[in-house]
Amino acid sequence: MELKRNVGYAAAKLVEDGNIVGLGTGSTTLYFLEKLGKRIIDEELEILGIPTSYQSFLLAKENGIPVTTLEEHSIDIAVDGADEVDSRLNLIKGGGAAHTMEKIVDSAADKFIVIVDDSKVVDKLGAFPVPVEVIPQACRTVSDHVKQFGGVPALRMGQRKGGPVITDNGNFVIDVKFESIEDPAYLEKELNYIPGVVENGIFFGVTDEVLVGSSEGIKSLKK
């Protein structure tokens, strides 16, 4: 938790007065939102946030961060976590089932910064299953399709409720395990071509910078 706090706080320091900020989802971005809210109060900053989930919306409100929408504003900087980051700064996201809106917001930002601890940095994507958001009626057919790419699909089930996880968009999530992902760009596109898929958790070529928290401090990775 200390590593997540440190890197989340460091990212909050990069936000400038007047920025429109994409607000990511997850356990690391929680600390980013906490610090950003404190800066708004202490430094009297004029900042608006665009949440990527109900979680980040509620945390923004809790921390005093005014919110807006993509319909009203463009995004200067987005800050979000990741489940995996490879050597070329490609990502797997979606552990929190918010990757569809995260991809929309993060891709729209002038600058997209990823915050992770060093356990999330890998040479090649694939250890973490790829989350695929699907229309509920297409669950079986999408599962059949991903097997053709060598994936092993599993419908994500709720931990404290009966039945499957339901996304903020009212859909299901299929977690697809691959032995390794040799070509993230190709797989991202091919998964999205499957009828019934809303979006998948591979983020290829979107990241501008990764801040990595470790016991030795915070390291910046750039393209």
Side-chain angles (χ1 to χ4, degrees):
M1 287 301 176
E2 188 66 25
L3 298 183
K4 292 183 177 183
R5 180 182 293 106
N6 290 344
V7 76
Y9 281 16
K13 295 177 183 178
L14 301 178
V15 176
E16 299 179 356
D17 190 23
N19 278 173
I20 308 298
V21 185
L23 308 177
T25 300
S27 58
T28 307
T29 52
L30 181 153
Y31 296 108
F32 165 73
L33 295 170
E34 178 181 272
K35 183 64 173 180
L36 183 59
K38 191 173 188 305
R39 284 194 63 205
I40 288 173
I41 295 171
D42 292 347
E43 302 174 35
E44 299 182 349
L45 302 180
E46 295 289 336
I47 286 170
L48 293 174
I50 297 181
T52 55
S53 65
Y54 288 134
Q55 182 203 47
S56 58
F57 172 81
L58 293 172
L59 285 171
K61 289 295 189 181
E62 181 181 315
N63 287 285
I65 304 170
V67 298
T68 186
T69 67
L70 275 173
E71 289 294 321
E72 298 174 290
H73 293 92
S74 299
I75 302 173
D76 299 301
I77 182 173
V79 177
D80 211 340
D83 298 296
E84 282 189 344
V85 180
D86 75 8
S87 58
R88 296 186 178 181
L89 308 192
N90 300 311
L91 317 173
I92 291 180
K93 291 176 50 56
H99 54 280
T100 295
M101 193 61 192
E102 288 173 335
K103 190 174 286 190
I104 292 169
V105 168
D106 298 342
S107 298
D110 291 341
K111 185 174 185 179
F112 173 37
I113 296 177
V114 174
I115 51 176
V116 294
D117 63 68
D118 55 4
S119 69
K120 304 296 179 64
V121 180
V122 298
D123 291 329
K124 186 181 295 185
L125 301 179
F128 194 90
V130 178
V132 180
E133 183 169 349
V134 302
I135 302 296
Q137 293 84 349
C139 188
R140 182 185 63 80
T141 56
V142 170
S143 294
D144 289 344
H145 273 91
V146 298
K147 292 175 185 177
Q148 299 174 16
F149 299 108
V152 178
L155 179 63
R156 189 183 300 184
M157 304 302 289
Q159 296 298 312
R160 298 179 66 180
K161 67 175 284 293
V165 168
I166 307 297
T167 70
D168 289 353
N169 306 309
N171 299 313
F172 292 172
V173 174
I174 297 174
D175 292 311
V176 185
K177 186 70 177 72
F178 295 93
E179 286 298 323
S180 65
I181 299 175
E182 302 297 331
D183 189 342
Y186 171 80
L187 186 58
E188 180 182 20
K189 292 178 182 178
E190 289 301 312
L191 289 174
N192 280 351
Y193 286 151
I194 299 171
V197 169
V198 179
E199 187 56 81
N200 72 83
I202 298 174
F203 284 50
F204 176 81
V206 179
T207 310
D208 293 301
E209 182 177 5
V210 179
L211 297 181
V212 182
S214 72
S215 58
E216 299 176 353
I218 295 171
K219 180 168 61 174
S220 172
L221 306 177
K222 296 181 180 180
K223 294 179 182 178

